[in-house]
Amino acid sequence: MRITVIAATGGIGREILNQALAAGHEVTAAVRDPGAVPAPVRTVRVDLARPDRAALEAAVDGADAVLSGLGARTGSDIGVVVRGTRAVIEAMDATGARRLVVVSAAPIGTVPSPRRPHPPRHDPGDGPLIRYLAGPLIKTVLRKRYADLALMEDALAASGLDWTSVRPPRLTDRPVTGDYRTALDRNVRGGTTVSRADVAHLMLRVLDRPETVGHTVGVGN
């Protein structure tokens, strides 16, 4: 399969890149700094903070799937996710690429957005600790980051593409195990952590799961 990895040098993007190569896929890495890509793959220089449509079209042209590990690394990066994802969607529309898998975050189902101004107060997969204590605190601290991700999911829903949004809880740097739980359109009950490597594993795994198209997928250990 021909796969384009957006933000291929980030924490999740790097895992997607390595696992896709290990699985025998033909990979293109779309990155700000091609010199930071350790693997011998085709690279396209793309700065998602200031998207270059021609570069993005070159990156996704001919791809069977586009997997995005795009995320805001610092407070000054907030806004890059929705801006970059919209640019990726436009490039996919222009080139005919259809399958898009992105990484989001577990709390986003309860974050208001223009498409969903009144989301449910609690995710059906969250237990009491997340619902009443940890969840509200985390959403307050990361409010702007989550608003960026909610806008990204709005863009996905309006795109007409075959999209899937993977919503992990707190990320760790543990190695890939493949031993995690998933839930369609809800968070995983009791799944408070998951490794970046396992998120990447799931993002590749859903490519063979048509039932995830147009849906979010919760994941957790």
Side-chain angles (χ1 to χ4, degrees), residues 27 39 52 55-56 60 62 74 114 118 121 124 142-143 153 164 174 183 185 189 203-204 207 215-216:
V27 180
D52 180 331
L56 272 173
V60 305
T74 67
H118 305 291
R121 185 176 179 185
L142 300 178
R143 177 177 56 86
E153 290 199 357
T164 301
R174 293 174 181 171
D185 294 325
R189 180 61 64 95
M203 292 175 72
L204 288 163
L207 295 179
H215 293 276
T216 66

Side-chain angles (χ1 to χ4, degrees), residues 63-80:
D64 298 305
V66 177
L67 277 65
S68 174
L70 186 61
R73 297 186 180 184
T74 67
S76 62
D77 287 336
I78 292 172
V80 70

Side-chain angles (χ1 to χ4, degrees), residues 29-35 43-47 52 55-56:
V31 292
R32 184 182 299 176
D33 178 13
T43 60
V44 178
R45 186 186 301 275
V46 176
D47 183 353
D52 180 331
L56 272 173

